[in-house]
Amino acid sequence: GESVGLHLPTLSVQEGDNSIINCAYSNSASDYFIWYKQESGKGPQFIIDIRSNMDKRQGQRVTVLLNKTVKHLSLQIAATQPGDSAVYFCAENDEGADGLTFGKGTHLIIQP
Amino acid sequence: AAGVIQSPRHLIKEKRETATLKCYPIPRHDTVYWYQQGPGQDPQFLISFYEKMQSDKGSIPDRFSAQQFSDYHSELNMSSLELGDSALYFCASSSDTQRETQYFGPGTRLLVL
C-alpha cells in the first residue's frame, strides 16, 4: 500500500547548525502534511503543517517545504538546540480519511 | 493549554486478559483518534470517532473495540490480549474547525506478559 517514508533513520548535527529532515511520500491523493516531534516516552508533538496548495510554510525556527512534483517533504530546523533532540515523523492525510499515515521517523541527535 | 489526557499511563496485563484505555480529548475537540506504536515503529492508525460515531477504521484487530461517549471521551477496549499487543497506545483529538490537525496525548504503555 502507499505510505510515507523517510530517507535517513538518524541525523547528527552540531548545536547551532541548521538541520534538514527529509520525507518522501507516495500517495498522490495526500493533501495535508504534518511534522511531529516525539521525545522518548512521550506522545508526538505537533510542529508544523502544510497543505498541498502551498510549497513552503514557516514557523518559529522551523520551515516545511513541499515539492508535489517529486512527492517530497522536508523540515528545516534553524540553529538547532539540545532540546531539538528527538525522533521526527512526517505524516500525511488523504482527503476523506481520518487516520494519519506516518513515516518511519528520523532520530535527530544534537552534538555539543 | 489543556492537552489530551490518557489513562492509565502504564498497564501490565497477562495474555488473554482484557484492558481498557481511556482518552479525554482537548476541551471542545469532538474527534478522537487511536493509534498503536510498537517499539521503534511509527504510529499506526486504529480507529476514529466523530460526535460519538465511528468515523474511520484503520488496522484495528477484531479483538479491539472502541467508543466515544457523550462527553467526548473515548475508551479503547482490548480483549484476549496477545504478547504482540505490547505497545504504546496514543489518543489524539482534533476540533471541528481544524479537523486534520491532530494533537496527541502522552500515551498508555501496555505490556502484555
Side-chain angles (χ1 to χ4, degrees), chain A residues 31-32 34 36 38 41-44 46 49 51 89 93 96-100 102-105, chain B residues 9 31 33 35 37 41-43 45 48 55-56 90 98-106 109:
Chain A
D31 61 351
Y32 180 68
I34 308 177
Y36 285 96
Q38 187 175 26
K42 297 185 178 180
F46 173 88
D49 59 359
R51 297 189 183 280
F89 290 97
N93 184 249
D98 277 5
L100 294 171
F102 281 79
K104 292 302 179 188
Chain B
R9 294 295 313 278
T31 307
Y33 313 79
Y35 290 82
Q37 186 178 29
Q41 302 294 314
D42 56 292
F45 171 67
S48 60
S55 178
D56 195 8
F90 291 107
Q98 204 170 1
R99 194 146 176 229
E100 299 121 321
T101 307
Q102 299 180 24
Y103 296 92
F104 282 75
R109 184 175 294 278

Side-chain angles (χ1 to χ4, degrees), chain A:
Chain A
E2 295 182 301
S3 63
V4 180
L6 296 174
H7 293 303
L8 296 172
T10 302
L11 178 63
S12 183
V13 299
Q14 292 290 129
E15 182 178 349
D17 286 353
N18 297 334
S19 304
I20 299 177
I21 301 171
N22 295 303
C23 180
Y25 67 96
S26 57
N27 186 355
S28 56
S30 298
D31 61 351
Y32 180 68
F33 303 87
I34 308 177
W35 280 100
Y36 285 96
K37 172 187 179 183
Q38 187 175 26
E39 296 174 275
S40 182
K42 297 185 178 180
Q45 176 188 351
F46 173 88
I47 301 174
I48 192 168
D49 59 359
I50 190 168
R51 297 189 183 280
S52 59
N53 61 353
M54 302 171 69
D55 53 21
K56 181 179 180 179
R57 190 154 188 240
Q58 288 185 290
Q60 188 176 14
R61 281 202 308 119
V62 295
T63 301
V64 56
L65 299 176
L66 175 63
N67 185 331
K68 294 179 289 293
T69 303
V70 295
K71 298 195 183 96
H72 184 267
L73 191 70
S74 68
L75 176 70
Q76 300 177 2
I77 304 174
T80 48
Q81 304 167 357
D84 294 330
S85 290
V87 176
Y88 289 81
F89 290 97
C90 64
E92 55 92 2
N93 184 249
D94 183 349
E95 184 179 2
D98 277 5
L100 294 171
T101 299
F102 281 79
K104 292 302 179 188
T106 292
H107 187 193
L108 180 63
I109 298 171
I110 310 302
Q111 309 239 350

